Amino acid sequence: MVQVYYHNNINYDANGDMNLSPTSCTGKIQLNGDCTIEVEHSFDKEGRWKSLINDNVISCPTPWSDKQLFRIYNREKKGTSIIAYARHIFFDLKNYPLFSILIQNKNGQEALTYLLKDTPFSITSDIPTLNNLEDENKNVLTMLTGDNSFLKIWGGELYLNNYNIIINRKLGGDYGVRAEFGYNLDDIEEDVNDDDVVTRIIPIGANGIKLNGSSPWVDSPNINKYANIIHRFITFDDIKVKDSINDTEGYDTLELAQAEMINRCNKLFEGGIDTPSVNYKVSMALLRNTTEYKGYEVLEDVGLGDIVTCRHYGIDIDIKARCISLEWEVDLDSDVARTLTIELGNAVANYFDNQSDITNRVSNILNGNGSVKADAIEGTINALQTKFKALKSIAQTQHVRAMLFEDLDSNSPTFGAMCIGTMGFEIASERTSDGKDWNWRTFGTGKGFFADQIVAGILTAVLIQSVDGKSFWNLKTGEMFLNKGLISGNGSSWNLDTGEFKTHGNNGKIDLDILISQGQITSNTWMDILTKDGLSIGKSDSTSFIIFLQDVIALNATNINFGGDASLVNAIVSGNIAVNGNLSVNGNKNCLQKTENFGQVPFYANEDVNSLLTYTSIENIYTTELQSDGTYTCKIDIQNVIQECINTKLEYNVWITKLGRGDVWVESTEPSFFIIQSDKEVSFKYKLEGKRKNFEDMTLERHLKSLESEVTV
């Protein structure tokens, strides 16, 4: 039944506001493309045609559903009729804006849930790949199907079911449909292109590696089915031989590298590089009236994305082609959608990438690491599905060799299926999106078990490795090697490509981030280093090194506070250090006083609550002498270097050590000298003590005032 819902009626579970009596209702859908209908209606006296206005919604049968919703976006008058053009309700998503989009390390379901969270649509996905997406000021439809979109980054194929959308890795399936083409039939358009066919690959690895002998190539199993041998040079830049035993990438020997090149070539042939690119457009409506229809009636039940095994007359090769578009009409007597035209093509790439040269065709089949594209285990599962289809067929007719158990009632607690036989078993817990078959995803054979997910209490194994063998975990030796990627959690991440390690936290007030990368540890704020027994920092060759601390801010001070014992060996620390515990020095402890003419002058330890420097006369002995005025006097000039270290313009102390009997005292002090007098001739030594130049205000009083600003790091 073809009905119309007025734009303000969203109760699509009930009948529509108007039943139509159209003269025709046709539709077209493309794989990951447009989905539209055209409804032609006469100007009837009941005025039904008046409901065909923009923004109203039409419901009608389709090849995959009894009722799908389409919103009218245009209409035109034609003679005594009106034609309404409508798009699937899915395209309403263009009306939902997204101002800021940031998706990080999410699988398909998680990413889609984020994108559609503020819409009336529900969406599911079986895409396990983790990816990132960032954009702004886009609508939801663009973020699903545009240039920088979900389909471009995660991949997948759309299944439209009103407000319930599915984007799975693959739409449709291989249900054993076969058809033969190549006959001169007007009702079938054919495009068979051999330009990209390769039947002999001459592989070349990194640094010019080739296969040995006079036949350095790999031949296709179909090489004799063509008039000429079609050869191509194909380069595998990632296949190389290690230059040294310390290299982490490459193969240990030339023989191993050559074996991998042969393996890659065979994968290309398995991927179809030795078969033509085909495109068939079959007019089912016209064929129904011909005697040839019997050979093509199997195509009536083919759905979007389904695989058809095509054999071209004159070429003894089976070619797998997918249904990439459908056109249908609604039988107005039976209210059933019937296929008008079905289009079969090699790949979705015909519609998105339009790549035809051999280099691009290779890249379409192989990943960068040389494995066949699709999810890591998808290729294995697809191969097993093909084998088990034969088993399932046997199970239906020869029960001794195989059995099929299934419960088709989706409300039953035992809903599911299991096929078991001499080859192994396969298990499914759900139907395919089109409901034509079970979605077989778990398999067991004599060679092992294959599944999307394995749940176990205890998993006993020796080696866990990726499909290409480049990443592994040897549970026997404990060795783990991950070729590349990202290990992340809620509070940390480890980028295996760049070597960056990040942590993230929050103390309730501010974010605290640490980055370890390229020989550096970086913090966005202060950083605490807490250890139980101590901290040791040094160089392996025992030479001196520098701890460089720049802009270490603790409240309003520039201090580093050691809360316990600190050991600095051959180190230079730039900044202020406060040691709250013990400071032990095996060598000398001194301060370096910067002078204008004498460089940095070292002054050794002299503990005081003020910042003082001293000069002590150890080797020199001075003597007072009788002067003309009758006094015993000695004038001592202060060396220039001392004047540049001690501020002698301020008060300073002179301490005297007598070397004989008599009374001796300091008569006066001046910036450049001081006077010593005695009651008779006396020999003595002295020590000069004064405030350190440029540190005159470093006093006990100032320290007491700043105590509250100290922070222990």
Side-chain angles (χ1 to χ4, degrees), residues 129 235-239 260 264 267-268 360-379 467-468 470 484:
T129 309
T235 301
F236 302 97
D237 290 327
D238 62 313
I239 300 180
E260 177 60 17
R264 297 278 186 89
K267 285 182 179 180
L268 287 173
N360 286 332
R361 192 166 179 193
V362 171
S363 66
N364 284 342
I365 297 173
L366 291 183
N367 285 309
N369 60 13
S371 60
V372 174
K373 275 195 173 179
D375 296 314
I377 197 146
E378 189 71 19
V467 174
D468 60 9
K470 292 188 176 181
K484 61 180 179 178

Side-chain angles (χ1 to χ4, degrees), residues 384-603:
L384 287 168
Q385 282 181 330
T386 302
K387 291 184 178 180
F388 273 102
K389 288 187 184 301
L391 176 62
K392 177 182 173 183
S393 177
I394 295 172
Q396 295 171 344
T397 57
Q398 301 183 35
H399 301 288
V400 176
R401 293 172 60 189
M403 294 179 289
L404 174 65
F405 306 91
E406 64 180 358
D407 183 350
L408 294 169
D409 182 2
S410 60
N411 297 318
S412 170
T414 59
F415 176 70
M418 179 176 184
C419 182
I420 186 170
T422 55
M423 289 171 54
F425 66 84
E426 59 179 344
I427 303 173
S429 60
E430 61 181 17
R431 302 286 286 178
T432 56
S433 57
D434 56 17
K436 294 181 180 180
D437 195 7
W438 291 101
N439 187 18
W440 304 104
R441 307 298 299 175
T442 303
F443 305 88
T445 72
K447 294 183 178 180
F449 297 90
F450 305 85
D452 286 335
Q453 180 179 358
I454 297 177
V455 180
I458 298 177
L459 179 63
T460 302
V462 175
L463 182 68
I464 300 174
Q465 70 175 19
S466 60
V467 174
D468 60 9
K470 292 188 176 181
S471 297
F472 63 85
W473 184 6
N474 190 322
L475 299 177
K476 185 176 181 180
T477 64
E479 180 185 6
M480 176 184 284
F481 180 80
L482 300 176
N483 187 45
K484 61 180 179 178
L486 181 70
I487 300 175
S488 63
N490 291 330
S492 64
S493 65
W494 181 13
N495 191 315
L496 299 177
D497 295 337
T498 64
E500 290 184 348
F501 181 79
K502 299 179 181 179
T503 65
H504 174 77
N506 188 286
N507 65 359
K509 296 181 179 179
I510 59 174
D511 289 333
L512 303 170
D513 299 324
I514 300 292
L515 171 64
I516 302 176
S517 175
Q518 300 177 353
Q520 295 180 339
I521 302 177
T522 306
S523 172
N524 71 319
T525 179
W526 63 55
M527 180 170 62
D528 294 344
I529 300 178
L530 306 176
T531 68
K532 180 180 179 182
D533 298 322
L535 177 65
S536 176
I537 304 175
K539 284 183 68 175
S540 59
D541 59 3
S542 299
T543 59
S544 63
F545 67 101
I546 296 175
I547 302 175
F548 182 68
L549 303 169
Q550 181 178 3
D551 298 331
V552 178
I553 301 175
L555 296 180
N556 296 322
T558 306
N559 300 327
I560 303 173
N561 296 340
F562 291 99
D565 294 339
S567 177
L568 301 177
V569 181
N570 294 326
I572 298 175
V573 178
S574 298
N576 299 328
I577 300 179
V579 180
N580 298 327
N582 299 319
L583 178 63
S584 300
V585 180
N586 293 327
N588 288 311
K589 184 180 74 172
N590 56 38
C591 74
L592 298 176
Q593 176 63 33
K594 186 177 181 181
T595 66
E596 182 178 352
N597 300 303
F598 302 95
Q600 297 193 73
V601 179
F603 283 77

